[in-house]
Amino acid sequence: MLIAGNWKMYKGPAETAEFCLGLREQELTGVDLVVCPPFVSLAVAVQLLAGTEIAVAAQNVHWDAEGAYTGEVSAEMLRELGVYGAIVGHSERRQYFGETDDTVARRVHAALEAGLFVIACIGETEAERGQGATEDVLRRQLAVLEPDDNLVLAYEPVWAIGTGKTATPGTAQESHAFVKSLLDAPVLYGGSVKPDNAAELLAQPDVDGALVGGASLELESFTAICRAASHS
Ligand code: PGA
């Protein structure tokens, strides 16, 4: 079971330090933990979580090792910092920053080549689900990816992200089973995972963990989700 906290554009270095010091104090066993702070807070997170089992990952990564790509960061740079992995293809990047299946594939490939662990995000929008196109969308998003020991998928229905509208455990299970039929990888569920719904989502046989946004920002809610994971 893997629980990853996607902090999005929250927590600069000072708040990151405070959170990581608090997280170190928790007794969290039987669950793999990842925190994904913004780029500027990665160094302090790596430093303060050193010597623990908690991994630090970035929220994006470029496909070239270096180059004229203003605003981007490479896998090699992340590795130099001691960062363990990266999220790629989050729906917010697809929606607001022009990320496509092609650029997702390039980022994933380069990150894996460089030795990073990757959480690749997939998921349909509300309109796509309404049109009955969920499986087509997932098939298209997965077609550019290949299984890899260091690749984990995150199924995040876009209509469930930050909305409080979680997929039912049954819907999540159905999508996860479909995803696994196309690509052999662990699949995290993401989209409004909270302490009060984590246990039933994580109890589904094909739900291998969670990618948590809003509820990962407070130590109390994040650790409550981690505890639910360690019991399932
Ligand atoms: P949320 O975000 O938990 O706030 O819905 C999940 C995500 O975007 O990864």
Side-chain angles (χ1 to χ4, degrees):
M1 211 36 89
L2 171 70
I3 302 295
N6 172 16
W7 294 0
K8 309 193 178 188
M9 202 173 72
Y10 292 97
K11 296 193 193 296
E15 277 184 61
T16 296
E18 192 186 340
F19 186 96
C20 292
L21 289 171
L23 192 57
R24 282 189 75 111
E25 300 299 306
Q26 310 290 318
E27 289 278 331
L28 297 167
T29 51
V31 54
D32 293 322
L33 294 188
V34 183
V35 292
C36 310
F39 283 128
V40 294
S41 301
L42 288 169
V44 69
V46 166
Q47 194 188 339
L48 291 177
L49 296 174
T52 74
E53 298 278 299
I54 306 164
V56 177
Q59 298 172 17
N60 191 20
V61 57
H62 195 261
W63 52 83
D64 270 351
E66 58 183 8
Y69 298 108
T70 303
E72 293 282 332
V73 171
S74 74
E76 286 72 9
M77 292 169 181
L78 294 172
R79 295 267 294 166
E80 183 181 341
L81 208 56
V83 169
Y84 168 77
I87 298 173
V88 175
H90 190 278
S91 68
E92 285 151 15
R93 298 226 48 94
R94 295 178 190 258
Q95 195 178 346
Y96 306 128
F97 302 102
E99 194 80 72
T100 63
D101 294 330
D102 177 54
T103 56
V104 168
R106 295 170 77 180
R107 292 180 200 277
V108 169
H109 185 73
L112 292 171
E113 282 280 299
L116 288 178
F117 170 89
V118 172
I119 301 174
C121 302
I122 53 172
E124 79 288 359
T125 63
E126 188 153 37
E128 288 163 343
R129 176 161 284 268
Q131 291 154 11
T134 299
E135 292 196 350
D136 289 343
V137 170
L138 295 176
R139 205 176 279 116
R140 192 201 73 220
Q141 292 174 334
L142 287 168
V144 298
L145 302 175
E146 283 163 23
D148 188 290
D149 286 348
N150 286 323
L151 176 66
V152 166
L153 301 170
Y155 169 64
E156 300 204 301
V158 178
W159 46 271
I161 295 179
T163 58
K165 282 199 249 173
T166 320
T168 63
T171 305
Q173 167 57 28
E174 197 184 325
S175 297
H176 282 226
F178 179 71
V179 167
K180 287 186 184 187
S181 75
L182 298 176
L183 197 147
D184 184 19
V187 185
L188 312 180
Y189 171 78
S192 298
V193 175
K194 308 284 177 214
D196 61 2
N197 61 24
E200 54 174 0
L201 285 161
L202 294 169
Q204 301 304 307
D206 289 313
V207 176
D208 303 308
L211 181 56
V212 185
S216 74
L217 295 172
E218 299 293 334
L219 200 53
E220 206 179 307
S221 46
F222 187 58
T223 54
I225 293 169
C226 296
R227 290 205 171 85
S230 71
H231 294 135
S232 57

